[in-house]
Amino acid sequence: MNGKNHDTVCLVCNQRTVKGITIFSSSICQHCEKDITEINLSNQQYDDILNQLKKIEIYK
């Protein structure tokens, strides 16, 4: 994010965040990033997160 703090909305939880990761034009907060890396595939939340991640816009 070019070294600047930008207040953005997390793609997964829709909460405002300053810290986290950016994938193309979509942001994911630190909390959701941690959840994504630790989630069990049998957890119902896995499908919810997967559906949110499918919204990432990839520029061609």
Side-chain angles (χ1 to χ4, degrees):
M1 293 184 4
N2 300 331
K4 298 178 183 177
N5 285 337
H6 294 286
D7 191 23
T8 60
V9 176
C10 175
L11 177 70
V12 178
C13 69
N14 295 312
Q15 298 295 313
R16 290 215 166 273
T17 183
V18 174
K19 295 182 179 181
I21 61 173
T22 301
I23 302 172
F24 295 99
S25 63
S26 301
S27 297
I28 300 173
C29 71
Q30 287 180 324
H31 174 76
C32 288
E33 178 184 357
K34 183 176 183 282
D35 286 350
I36 290 168
T37 60
E38 295 177 355
I39 196 164
N40 186 317
L41 298 179
S42 63
N43 186 323
Q44 172 57 39
Q45 187 183 10
Y46 174 81
D47 291 330
D48 297 337
I49 291 173
L50 187 60
N51 287 328
Q52 290 301 99
L53 294 176
K54 289 178 182 178
K55 295 179 182 178
I56 293 174
E57 294 182 20
I58 299 174
Y59 299 104
K60 295 180 181 180

